[in-house]
Amino acid sequence: SASLHAAFAFDTVDGSGAQLQTVPVGGADTISIVFSEAVNVSDNSLKLVGMRTSNVPTLAEFHYDASTNTATWRYENWRVLGDQYLITLADGVTDVEGNPLDGDWTNPETTTTTNGLVSTFPSGDGTPGGAFQFVMNLMPGDANLDGKVDGIDFSLLSIHWGQSLGSFFVDGDFNGDGAVNSDDLNLLAANFNANRQTVSCGAEFDSDGTVDDDDLTLIANNAGMTGATLADGDLNGDGQVTMDDLDLAMAQYGLELTVVS
Protein backbone atom coordinates (compact mmCIF):
# COMPACT_ATOMS: atom_id res chain seq x y z
CA SER A 1 0.00 0.00 0.00
CA ALA A 2 2.93 2.37 0.64
CA SER A 3 5.11 1.04 -2.17
CA LEU A 4 5.71 2.98 -5.38
CA HIS A 5 5.71 -0.33 -7.25
CA ALA A 6 2.64 -1.58 -9.07
CA ALA A 7 0.55 -4.32 -7.48
CA PHE A 8 1.49 -7.89 -8.41
CA ALA A 9 -1.14 -10.39 -9.60
CA PHE A 10 -0.48 -14.08 -8.96
CA ASP A 11 -2.69 -15.12 -11.86
CA THR A 12 0.28 -14.20 -14.08
CA VAL A 13 2.45 -16.96 -12.53
CA ASP A 14 0.02 -19.72 -11.50
CA GLY A 15 0.24 -23.30 -12.74
CA SER A 16 3.97 -23.88 -12.18
CA GLY A 17 6.95 -23.18 -9.95
CA ALA A 18 6.73 -19.55 -11.07
CA GLN A 19 4.18 -19.12 -8.25
CA LEU A 20 7.18 -19.15 -5.88
CA GLN A 21 9.12 -16.40 -7.61
CA THR A 22 9.81 -13.46 -5.32
CA VAL A 23 6.99 -10.92 -5.26
CA PRO A 24 8.50 -7.91 -7.12
CA VAL A 25 6.99 -5.28 -4.82
CA GLY A 26 9.20 -3.56 -2.27
CA GLY A 27 7.48 -2.89 1.04
CA ALA A 28 4.48 -5.07 0.21
CA ASP A 29 1.96 -5.13 3.05
CA THR A 30 -1.43 -5.78 1.41
CA ILE A 31 -3.25 -8.87 0.11
CA SER A 32 -6.36 -8.66 -2.05
CA ILE A 33 -8.46 -11.67 -3.06
CA VAL A 34 -11.07 -11.43 -5.80
CA PHE A 35 -14.07 -13.77 -5.59
CA SER A 36 -16.19 -15.07 -8.46
CA GLU A 37 -19.38 -13.86 -6.76
CA ALA A 38 -20.59 -11.94 -3.74
CA VAL A 39 -19.39 -13.50 -0.47
CA ASN A 40 -19.63 -13.23 3.28
CA VAL A 41 -16.05 -12.58 4.41
CA SER A 42 -14.50 -10.89 7.45
CA ASP A 43 -11.16 -9.70 8.74
CA ASN A 44 -10.46 -12.98 10.53
CA SER A 45 -11.22 -15.13 7.46
CA LEU A 46 -7.57 -14.93 6.41
CA LYS A 47 -4.48 -16.15 8.28
CA LEU A 48 -0.95 -15.16 7.28
CA VAL A 49 2.14 -16.85 8.76
CA GLY A 50 5.82 -17.07 7.87
CA MET A 51 6.72 -20.66 7.11
CA ARG A 52 10.37 -20.37 8.17
CA THR A 53 10.17 -17.60 10.79
CA SER A 54 6.63 -18.14 12.15
CA ASN A 55 6.19 -14.38 11.79
CA VAL A 56 2.51 -13.43 12.09
CA PRO A 57 1.99 -9.85 10.83
CA THR A 58 -0.51 -7.66 12.63
CA LEU A 59 -3.72 -6.88 10.76
CA ALA A 60 -4.08 -3.12 10.38
CA GLU A 61 -7.09 -2.79 8.08
CA PHE A 62 -9.73 -4.91 6.30
CA HIS A 63 -12.10 -3.90 3.53
CA TYR A 64 -14.58 -5.74 1.32
CA ASP A 65 -15.62 -4.06 -1.93
CA ALA A 66 -19.03 -5.48 -2.82
CA SER A 67 -18.93 -3.89 -6.28
CA THR A 68 -15.90 -5.98 -7.31
CA ASN A 69 -16.21 -8.90 -4.85
CA THR A 70 -12.72 -8.05 -3.57
CA ALA A 71 -11.53 -8.49 0.01
CA THR A 72 -8.38 -6.64 1.09
CA TRP A 73 -6.21 -7.11 4.18
CA ARG A 74 -3.39 -4.68 5.08
CA TYR A 75 -0.77 -5.67 7.64
CA GLU A 76 1.72 -4.02 9.96
CA ASN A 77 4.92 -5.54 11.34
CA TRP A 78 5.37 -7.57 8.18
CA ARG A 79 8.99 -8.56 8.68
CA VAL A 80 11.26 -6.97 6.08
CA LEU A 81 13.55 -9.99 6.08
CA GLY A 82 12.69 -12.65 3.53
CA ASP A 83 10.40 -15.57 4.18
CA GLN A 84 7.87 -17.83 2.56
CA TYR A 85 4.37 -16.99 3.68
CA LEU A 86 1.31 -19.19 3.71
CA ILE A 87 -1.96 -17.42 2.96
CA THR A 88 -4.88 -19.42 4.36
CA LEU A 89 -8.41 -18.31 3.53
CA ALA A 90 -10.90 -20.36 5.54
CA ASP A 91 -13.79 -22.13 3.87
CA GLY A 92 -15.98 -20.41 6.44
CA VAL A 93 -16.25 -17.79 3.68
CA THR A 94 -19.62 -18.38 1.99
CA ASP A 95 -21.64 -17.03 -0.88
CA VAL A 96 -25.02 -15.41 -0.28
CA GLU A 97 -26.73 -18.82 -0.44
CA GLY A 98 -24.44 -20.13 2.31
CA ASN A 99 -22.27 -22.37 0.11
CA PRO A 100 -18.72 -22.56 1.49
CA LEU A 101 -15.61 -21.45 -0.38
CA ASP A 102 -14.17 -23.91 -2.88
CA GLY A 103 -10.57 -22.96 -2.19
CA ASP A 104 -8.58 -26.17 -2.73
CA TRP A 105 -5.12 -25.33 -4.08
CA THR A 106 -2.07 -27.43 -5.01
CA ASN A 107 1.21 -25.55 -4.62
CA PRO A 108 4.50 -26.19 -6.45
CA GLU A 109 7.27 -27.61 -4.30
CA THR A 110 10.07 -25.64 -5.96
CA THR A 111 10.57 -22.72 -8.31
CA THR A 112 11.39 -25.24 -11.08
CA THR A 113 8.25 -27.38 -10.68
CA THR A 114 6.46 -28.02 -14.01
CA ASN A 115 3.88 -30.53 -12.76
CA GLY A 116 0.48 -30.11 -14.41
CA LEU A 117 -1.16 -30.75 -11.04
CA VAL A 118 -0.14 -27.29 -9.79
CA SER A 119 -3.33 -25.29 -9.52
CA THR A 120 -4.40 -22.41 -11.70
CA PHE A 121 -7.01 -19.78 -10.90
CA PRO A 122 -9.85 -19.93 -10.09
CA SER A 123 -9.21 -22.12 -7.05
CA GLY A 124 -11.12 -25.24 -6.13
CA ASP A 125 -11.95 -28.76 -7.23
CA GLY A 126 -15.54 -28.02 -8.23
CA THR A 127 -17.06 -29.04 -4.89
CA PRO A 128 -17.95 -26.42 -2.25
CA GLY A 129 -15.69 -26.60 0.79
CA GLY A 130 -11.94 -26.49 1.20
CA ALA A 131 -9.68 -23.71 2.49
CA PHE A 132 -7.46 -21.76 0.10
CA GLN A 133 -3.84 -22.36 1.15
CA PHE A 134 -1.33 -20.53 -1.02
CA VAL A 135 2.45 -20.20 -0.67
CA MET A 136 4.27 -17.03 -1.76
CA ASN A 137 7.79 -15.62 -1.36
CA LEU A 138 8.78 -12.21 -0.03
CA MET A 139 12.55 -11.83 -0.45
CA PRO A 140 14.02 -8.31 -0.25
CA GLY A 141 17.32 -8.48 -2.09
CA ASP A 142 16.23 -10.98 -4.73
CA ALA A 143 16.42 -8.67 -7.75
CA ASN A 144 16.25 -11.44 -10.36
CA LEU A 145 13.27 -13.06 -8.59
CA ASP A 146 14.79 -16.57 -8.53
CA GLY A 147 14.05 -17.20 -4.84
CA LYS A 148 17.56 -16.69 -3.51
CA VAL A 149 19.81 -13.73 -2.72
CA ASP A 150 23.35 -13.94 -4.06
CA GLY A 151 26.05 -12.11 -5.99
CA ILE A 152 23.87 -11.81 -9.09
CA ASP A 153 21.41 -9.71 -7.13
CA PHE A 154 24.23 -7.57 -5.73
CA SER A 155 25.43 -6.94 -9.28
CA LEU A 156 21.96 -5.83 -10.37
CA LEU A 157 21.72 -3.45 -7.43
CA SER A 158 25.19 -2.08 -8.21
CA ILE A 159 24.26 -1.38 -11.83
CA HIS A 160 21.31 0.76 -10.70
CA TRP A 161 22.99 2.32 -7.64
CA GLY A 162 21.85 5.90 -7.12
CA GLN A 163 18.90 5.58 -9.49
CA SER A 164 15.79 7.33 -8.22
CA LEU A 165 12.24 8.35 -9.07
CA GLY A 166 10.87 5.25 -10.67
CA SER A 167 13.18 2.39 -9.75
CA PHE A 168 11.69 -1.09 -9.72
CA PHE A 169 12.25 -4.06 -7.42
CA VAL A 170 14.28 -5.75 -10.17
CA ASP A 171 16.56 -2.68 -10.24
CA GLY A 172 17.37 -3.10 -6.56
CA ASP A 173 14.65 -0.95 -5.00
CA PHE A 174 13.78 -3.49 -2.32
CA ASN A 175 11.84 -1.16 0.00
CA GLY A 176 9.59 0.35 -2.66
CA ASP A 177 10.57 3.99 -2.19
CA GLY A 178 11.54 4.50 -5.84
CA ALA A 179 15.29 4.81 -5.23
CA VAL A 180 18.24 2.40 -5.10
CA ASN A 181 20.48 3.30 -2.17
CA SER A 182 22.00 2.10 1.09
CA ASP A 183 18.61 1.13 2.53
CA ASP A 184 18.25 -1.44 -0.24
CA LEU A 185 21.84 -2.62 0.20
CA ASN A 186 21.09 -3.26 3.87
CA LEU A 187 18.06 -5.36 2.95
CA LEU A 188 20.11 -7.37 0.48
CA ALA A 189 22.86 -7.90 3.07
CA ALA A 190 20.33 -9.06 5.68
CA ASN A 191 19.08 -11.77 3.31
CA PHE A 192 22.35 -12.62 1.59
CA ASN A 193 22.66 -16.37 0.91
CA ALA A 194 19.02 -16.93 1.86
CA ASN A 195 17.30 -19.49 -0.38
CA ARG A 196 13.52 -19.87 -0.63
CA GLN A 197 13.38 -21.88 -3.85
CA THR A 198 11.79 -24.88 -2.12
CA VAL A 199 8.66 -24.86 0.02
CA SER A 200 9.59 -25.63 3.62
CA CYS A 201 7.77 -25.21 6.90
CA GLY A 202 10.00 -24.79 9.95
CA ALA A 203 7.77 -26.58 12.48
CA GLU A 204 6.74 -29.45 10.21
CA PHE A 205 9.28 -32.03 11.40
CA ASP A 206 7.77 -35.36 10.32
CA SER A 207 7.08 -34.55 6.64
CA ASP A 208 3.35 -35.29 6.81
CA GLY A 209 2.39 -31.85 5.48
CA THR A 210 0.77 -30.67 8.70
CA VAL A 211 2.01 -28.89 11.84
CA ASP A 212 0.24 -30.89 14.52
CA ASP A 213 0.61 -32.48 17.96
CA ASP A 214 3.36 -34.81 16.75
CA ASP A 215 5.54 -31.82 15.88
CA LEU A 216 4.87 -30.12 19.21
CA THR A 217 5.69 -33.39 20.98
CA LEU A 218 9.13 -33.48 19.33
CA ILE A 219 9.90 -30.03 20.72
CA ALA A 220 8.63 -31.03 24.17
CA ASN A 221 10.68 -34.23 24.17
CA ASN A 222 13.85 -32.30 23.27
CA ALA A 223 13.25 -29.40 25.66
CA GLY A 224 16.53 -28.24 27.19
CA MET A 225 18.67 -29.80 24.47
CA THR A 226 21.83 -27.89 23.54
CA GLY A 227 23.75 -28.23 20.29
CA ALA A 228 20.32 -28.68 18.69
CA THR A 229 19.45 -28.40 15.00
CA LEU A 230 16.20 -27.63 13.20
CA ALA A 231 15.43 -31.35 13.06
CA ASP A 232 15.62 -31.43 16.87
CA GLY A 233 13.11 -28.57 17.20
CA ASP A 234 15.43 -25.56 17.25
CA LEU A 235 13.26 -23.20 15.20
CA ASN A 236 15.03 -19.94 16.05
CA GLY A 237 18.52 -21.22 15.30
CA ASP A 238 20.07 -20.52 18.72
CA GLY A 239 21.28 -24.10 19.20
CA GLN A 240 18.81 -24.83 22.00
CA VAL A 241 15.28 -26.21 22.26
CA THR A 242 13.30 -23.89 24.54
CA MET A 243 9.89 -22.34 25.05
CA ASP A 244 10.81 -19.81 22.36
CA ASP A 245 10.80 -22.63 19.82
CA LEU A 246 7.48 -23.91 21.11
CA ASP A 247 6.01 -20.43 20.74
CA LEU A 248 7.19 -20.31 17.12
CA ALA A 249 5.68 -23.74 16.46
CA MET A 250 2.37 -22.67 17.97
CA ALA A 251 2.21 -19.80 15.46
CA GLN A 252 2.29 -22.44 12.71
CA TYR A 253 0.03 -24.96 14.48
CA GLY A 254 -2.63 -26.32 12.18
CA LEU A 255 -0.76 -25.25 9.06
CA GLU A 256 -1.53 -27.69 6.27
CA LEU A 257 -0.92 -27.46 2.55
CA THR A 258 -0.83 -29.53 -0.60
CA VAL A 259 2.45 -29.52 -2.56
CA VAL A 260 3.65 -31.40 -5.66
CA SER A 261 7.18 -31.69 -7.04
Side-chain angles (χ1 to χ4, degrees), residues 3-260:
S3 178
L4 297 182
H5 302 154
F8 178 71
F10 279 102
D11 62 1
T12 64
V13 293
D14 57 344
S16 73
Q19 175 188 317
L20 300 179
Q21 77 173 46
T22 294
V23 174
V25 181
D29 65 359
T30 300
I31 295 172
S32 291
I33 296 179
V34 181
F35 297 91
S36 59
E37 59 180 309
V39 295
N40 300 305
V41 60
S42 65
D43 56 353
N44 59 8
S45 297
L46 188 140
K47 179 180 179 180
L48 181 66
V49 61
M51 295 181 63
R52 308 285 183 96
T53 64
S54 298
N55 182 42
V56 179
T58 301
L59 182 64
E61 182 180 6
F62 169 76
H63 175 70
Y64 176 64
D65 186 341
S67 66
T68 61
N69 303 326
T70 302
T72 299
W73 294 260
R74 184 177 65 81
Y75 292 89
E76 296 176 341
N77 303 324
W78 197 327
R79 188 172 297 177
V80 295
L81 301 185
D83 200 3
Q84 285 176 343
Y85 283 87
L86 180 65
I87 300 171
T88 300
L89 183 69
D91 61 1
V93 175
T94 64
D95 64 13
V96 293
E97 286 81 24
N99 298 304
L101 174 75
D102 184 11
D104 303 88
W105 188 269
T106 299
N107 296 276
E109 183 178 32
T110 72
T111 54
T112 58
T113 296
T114 58
N115 195 319
L117 294 177
V118 176
S119 295
T120 58
F121 289 107
S123 69
D125 59 5
T127 301
F132 175 68
Q133 296 180 313
F134 186 92
V135 180
M136 66 171 183
N137 274 332
L138 289 183
M139 183 66 67
D142 181 21
N144 66 349
L145 312 182
D146 66 352
K148 61 182 179 180
V149 180
D150 54 21
I152 296 175
D153 303 300
F154 177 75
S155 296
L156 290 169
L157 180 146
S158 299
I159 291 170
H160 298 97
W161 184 262
Q163 182 174 319
S164 61
L165 299 179
S167 296
F168 298 100
F169 188 94
V170 294
D171 298 328
D173 175 24
F174 304 129
N175 64 0
D177 67 355
V180 180
N181 53 36
S182 59
D183 292 336
D184 304 299
L185 179 60
N186 290 337
L187 287 171
L188 184 148
N191 285 312
F192 200 73
N193 288 328
N195 189 320
R196 300 292 183 263
Q197 294 179 322
T198 300
V199 172
S200 176
C201 174
E204 204 277 280
F205 301 114
D206 54 8
S207 301
D208 65 355
T210 304
V211 178
D212 53 20
D213 291 342
D214 292 336
D215 302 299
L216 299 186
T217 297
L218 182 143
I219 295 176
N221 289 342
N222 291 335
M225 178 184 289
T226 58
T229 66
L230 177 62
D232 299 317
D234 175 24
L235 288 173
N236 62 3
D238 66 356
Q240 305 177 71
V241 180
T242 67
M243 284 298 297
D244 291 338
D245 301 301
L246 183 60
D247 289 342
L248 289 171
M250 286 303 299
Q252 295 183 352
Y253 188 79
L255 183 154
E256 183 177 1
L257 69 160
T258 303
V259 176
V260 294

